[in-house]
Amino acid sequence: MNRFDLHTKILIGGAGLDEVLRGMHRVFIVTDKFMAESGAVKYLTDRLAAQHAEWRIYSEVGPDPDISMISAGVGMVLDFAPEAVIAFGGGSPIDAAKAIVYFAAREFDMHDCPFIAVPTTSGTGSEVSKFAVITDRDKGVKYPLIDDSLLPDYAVLDAELTKSVPPKVTADTGIDVLTHAIEAYVCTEANSFTDALAEKAMELVYQNLLTAYQSPNDMEARQNMHNASCLAGAAFSNAGLGLCHSMAHALGAQAHVAHGRANGILLPYVMSFNAGCDRSALTKTAERYAELAALLELQATNLRQSALNLIRTVRRFESKMGIPHSIRDAGVSAADFERMLEPMAEAAIADRCTATNPQSCTKEDIIEIYREAYTGRSILVRT
Ligand SMILES: NC(=O)c1ccc[n+]([C@@H]2O[C@H](COP(=O)([O-])OP(=O)(O)OC[C@H]3O[C@@H](n4cnc5c(N)ncnc54)[C@H](O)[C@@H]3O)[C@@H](O)[C@H]2O)c1
Ligand SMILES: [Zn+2]
């Protein structure tokens, strides 16, 4: 990789948002039903009312936004002609808003229309990434759009917004952060800049995720997880991701498993494959896992055990937060899994995240990893 880019200005807390919105008259908000109906969106509308601004809310975004949700949002943007767009919610509304702005900009000049992302989950890092993941429900595929123009102009990090996130979502989104940090650290385009971000994200997740899960009102843990999510987002936006994300996109699209949960199920198996735990020789990626293990003071006397300690730590975190260890335990029947396997493997090999995975892989490798993840055959048995 020959460049490192952080386009997005990061504002900590809500005060900076008032500054950015000053003088805006027409603001378009993209969120989901829950955030609109629970009143959480008053975080924005109270501010806009105080500034005598007009707003329009598009809240028809569901989990894993699809093409129809995007085109409805584009229509509303073109009709409303906003001076600013705010994405408010988890990764689903933020990705939807990114795609809406991306497509609306083809028909309407959005150059002087700031795009502001306000994440309310600590997970995707979408507020600072050039990725937007869109689902094609007819084809059963999730596509990562990757483009510099998808980078928000501002990200507002206010952990107060995450206090209401239920433990299951804290678990899934927290494991998504962990997966971003690990995949960005070992992927083919990693460099010292992205390593620094991924390492800090790893430390913060290691120190804070279980606390945020067990004590939702612990604001120090919540803010640290919010920062970790953003740091990991900046790392993978520049370095890329890997096979776990490709396989999770396909699993999510076919079996409707939440994004973070799909990553959590697959990560230990993909790490084991990437490290070469089941082959005679450990890979360079095993060395990178051992570096992360050392960062967390989990290193052992040899490389294999150090890499395994990291994989086992991922598993330990997942066990403590009730994340299933297999696709079967996530509720996918054997018959459904067999039907989905071939299309999932096809989609995963074609996914843009596979190109930056540290080990090259074939469709057969992916099928084998899915099969292991289906039955939950222990990675510890494989070594
Ligand atoms: N663009 C990227 O870089 C990137 C990276 C990873 C994942 N993604 C995508 O992001 C999506 C997943 O995002 P997510 O994991 O944040 O989930 P999400 O946005 O789908 O939200 C999950 C649930 O949490 C609820 N929620 C959100 N904030 C809440 C709050 N403060 N209090 C209570 N409930 C709240 C939502 O209403 C929803 O029911 C997937 O589509 C995934 O593919 C994008
Ligand atoms: Zn992710």
Side-chain angles (χ1 to χ4, degrees):
M1 187 184 73
N2 54 14
R3 69 176 252 213
F4 177 81
D5 185 11
L6 277 180
H7 167 86
T8 311
K9 289 188 182 61
I10 296 165
L11 311 171
I12 317 279
L17 181 59
D18 294 321
E19 259 331 285
V20 176
L21 292 176
R22 187 144 303 140
M24 299 280 170
H25 302 101
R26 299 170 69 75
V27 177
F28 188 73
I29 298 169
V30 180
T31 188
D32 67 22
K33 256 204 171 61
F34 173 78
M35 300 309 279
E37 288 172 4
S38 67
V41 77
K42 278 166 68 63
Y43 181 85
L44 301 179
T45 54
D46 283 354
R47 287 184 154 82
L48 293 171
Q51 302 201 13
H52 307 290
E54 243 187 278
W55 65 85
R56 193 170 290 180
I57 298 176
Y58 175 57
S59 60
E60 295 306 312
V61 179
D64 300 332
D66 62 27
I67 297 161
S68 68
M69 294 170 195
I70 308 303
S71 43
V74 170
M76 273 180 81
V77 166
L78 297 179
D79 178 54
F80 184 63
E83 290 173 352
V85 174
I86 308 182
F88 185 74
S92 298
I94 298 179
D95 280 9
K98 284 167 143 178
I100 289 168
V101 169
Y102 179 82
F103 290 109
R106 295 178 174 190
E107 295 180 49
F108 172 69
D109 185 0
M110 310 263 313
H111 273 109
D112 294 323
C113 179
F115 177 65
I116 304 156
V118 186
T120 65
T121 59
S122 305
T124 67
S126 183
E127 69 276 10
V128 287
S129 88
K130 57 179 126 179
F131 289 53
V133 186
I134 306 305
T135 298
D136 182 333
R137 293 200 203 278
D138 291 340
K139 295 194 178 136
V141 180
K142 279 174 96 166
Y143 296 104
L145 272 177
I146 309 176
D147 196 273
D148 282 350
S149 68
L150 294 169
L151 281 163
D153 299 304
Y154 297 92
V156 176
L157 299 189
D158 189 344
E160 278 295 325
L161 288 166
T162 67
K163 255 178 28 189
S164 53
V165 174
K168 184 166 182 273
V169 178
T170 300
D172 291 350
T173 50
I175 288 297
D176 195 23
V177 181
L178 185 72
T179 312
H180 294 157
I182 292 175
E183 291 212 290
Y185 192 78
V186 302
C187 79
T188 55
E189 303 298 307
N191 65 19
S192 299
F193 296 89
T194 58
D195 283 358
L197 295 163
E199 284 170 2
K200 187 66 191 173
M202 275 302 287
E203 282 179 332
L204 288 173
V205 171
Y206 186 64
Q207 292 157 0
N208 295 282
L209 176 54
L210 295 180
T211 308
Y213 175 75
Q214 284 150 5
S215 312
N217 292 325
D218 185 320
M219 285 319 295
E220 195 184 335
R222 286 290 199 188
Q223 187 68 55
N224 282 334
M225 279 308 299
H226 221 37
N227 294 352
S229 172
C230 188
L231 289 161
F236 84 72
S237 182
N238 281 278
L241 289 164
L243 187 57
C244 185
H245 264 78
S246 305
M247 293 179 64
H249 289 149
L251 180 63
Q254 289 277 333
H256 311 296
V257 179
H259 173 73
R261 184 152 291 226
N263 274 321
I265 294 168
L266 293 163
L267 185 59
Y269 304 96
V270 173
M271 288 176 78
S272 176
F273 170 80
N274 279 340
C277 288
D278 57 348
R279 285 171 249 138
S280 51
L282 291 172
T283 64
K284 287 261 175 229
T285 310
E287 292 172 25
R288 295 288 276 166
Y289 291 150
E291 284 171 24
L292 286 178
L295 179 78
L296 306 180
E297 298 182 1
L298 299 167
Q299 73 272 34
T301 46
N302 67 59
L303 178 59
R304 178 180 292 270
Q305 284 309 320
S306 292
L308 276 174
N309 280 354
L310 188 70
I311 301 174
R312 288 183 182 132
T313 300
V314 171
R315 263 282 166 91
R316 185 167 60 80
F317 268 56
E318 293 179 357
S319 298
K320 286 192 182 251
M321 298 191 296
I323 292 183
H325 289 174
S326 70
I327 298 172
R328 182 169 56 198
D329 288 349
V332 179
S333 73
D336 283 346
F337 176 72
E338 285 306 324
R339 185 178 46 73
M340 292 167 187
L341 187 54
E342 186 71 22
M344 286 198 302
E346 295 273 358
I349 200 98
D351 190 289
R352 289 178 70 180
C353 296
T354 302
T356 44
N357 192 62
Q359 302 306 123
S360 61
C361 59
T362 62
K363 196 171 113 187
E364 288 66 40
D365 292 328
I366 292 176
I367 286 179
E368 196 187 326
I369 299 169
Y370 271 131
R371 284 202 184 284
E372 286 174 0
Y374 183 75
T375 55
R377 185 155 68 91
S378 170
I379 43 155
L380 308 181
V381 173
R382 290 177 65 185
T383 58

